[in-house]
Amino acid sequence: MTFIEGFTAGLLLITLSEIGDKTFFIGAILAMRHPRRWVFVGVTAALAVMTLLSVWIGQIATLFPQHYVQWVAIALFFGFGLKLLYDASQMSGQESLDDECEEALAAVKEREQGITSWSIRAVLLEAFTLTFVAEWGDRTQLATITLASANNPYGVLVGAILGHAICAAIAVTCGKLIAGRISERLLTALGGILFIGFGMLAAFNGGA
């Protein structure tokens, strides 16, 4: 697939998946406690490193027979998509993102316990560490690995990093306000549709 296709897939995946995620709230909470620009740099750096690792892992998968890699990618995309659509169908529409916010707040409080003074380096390290740990093994990481195995890796890398930067910017500027106006059911359903769309695209390209 082309760079543009990989870029678009990475950008859409991350932008829709990361808003309201635990890492989104970590950025929002830290921005209320520390200078926003340093929180943004730390969060974005962690997400960029995670994306780079995910794309690299995805490229390792391409060392296996491409036919099998393609079908595994298709199965994962459809699996993710159907699971998200099922979850959305079980929601009443009144759900909030409070659980994700509470988990993020607990992680921040645990990390900051006993610290009384903050340098720029300390803020950067906290933002980087909390974000990296929260993102490791997350659904978006697995999806990025899958995307990179079935699409142009450079396009996926640039698109995903840009998507992460956009979400991080939203989080540190008005994350709590935005999250309070977002429907978890809508986000989940959109994510499911997006994953199924990726699965259909991968199946089409695999059969081309």
Side-chain angles (χ1 to χ4, degrees), residues 99-177:
D99 288 344
E100 295 285 351
C101 185
E102 288 176 6
E103 287 183 21
L105 182 58
V108 171
K109 286 182 176 180
E110 182 179 358
R111 172 76 182 180
E112 294 190 347
Q113 190 172 11
I115 302 177
T116 56
S117 62
W118 292 92
S119 63
I120 292 175
R121 179 179 176 277
V123 173
L124 288 172
L125 182 61
E126 180 189 29
F128 184 96
T129 303
L130 283 173
T131 303
F132 191 88
V133 170
E135 191 68 14
W136 186 262
D138 189 73
R139 183 180 68 241
T140 52
Q141 185 199 16
L142 299 177
T144 302
I145 292 171
T146 307
L147 268 184
S149 70
N151 295 269
N152 183 289
Y154 300 106
V156 173
L157 178 66
V158 176
I161 289 177
L162 178 59
H164 277 305
I166 291 171
C167 290
I170 295 173
V172 301
T173 53
C174 53
K176 293 280 285 185
L177 176 64

